[in-house]
Amino acid sequence: DLSIIMAHCGYGWWEEALMVGSMKPNCFVDFSGWQGTFLTNPTHFYTVLRRALDTLGPRRVLFGTDGPYLNGACPVEHWVDAFRTPAPPDSHLRFSREEMAAVLGTNFQALVDGAAPQT
């Protein structure tokens, strides 16, 4: 019954985090701390985000900031926009408005309210 949020989507171990999450429906990932990757390699960032959404389902992916630590490098407004209106340089990556709305808040609210994740 315990919900686990794997912070930073495992960052350097993101593939392992997604593997665990694919086996354990009580595991969620957040994308706090990925601002540097977003700024320096947006294709990689959006590829990992897409993989997380596809692997875990859009209901178990959460937004995060790791603020205020990274706010100087990537202001919160810019980081939110990376999710609100994703513009991956690689044209084959697509994100729906519903997915991004869920990631930006609906998912966390459901988790806090004790709603079961929908994969």
Side-chain angles (χ1 to χ4, degrees):
D1 294 334
L2 177 68
S3 294
I4 298 170
I5 300 172
M6 293 184 279
H8 315 290
C9 190
Y11 200 67
W13 298 277
W14 65 269
E15 291 172 304
E16 290 83 352
L18 296 182
M19 184 173 54
V20 169
S22 72
M23 302 297 289
K24 301 296 182 184
N26 62 318
C27 289
F28 297 73
V29 297
D30 79 25
F31 273 85
S32 61
W34 280 78
Q35 292 92 320
T37 302
F38 167 71
L39 293 172
T40 60
N41 191 347
T43 297
H44 179 64
F45 167 72
Y46 284 118
T47 298
V48 174
L49 178 59
R50 181 75 262 160
R51 288 267 308 273
L53 291 165
D54 292 343
T55 301
L56 304 180
R59 300 289 173 239
R60 292 195 289 141
V61 178
L62 308 169
F63 175 79
T65 65
D66 230 9
Y69 175 67
L70 295 172
N71 294 356
C74 184
V76 173
E77 298 80 16
H78 187 59
W79 186 229
V80 170
D81 285 343
F83 288 84
R84 183 178 293 138
T85 54
D90 194 335
S91 63
H92 81 278
L93 297 171
R94 300 274 188 250
F95 301 91
S96 73
R97 288 181 187 184
E98 294 79 16
E99 286 174 326
M100 294 300 94
V103 170
L104 281 169
T106 311
N107 294 344
F108 187 74
Q109 186 63 54
L111 183 61
V112 169
D113 290 344
Q118 301 171 357
T119 56

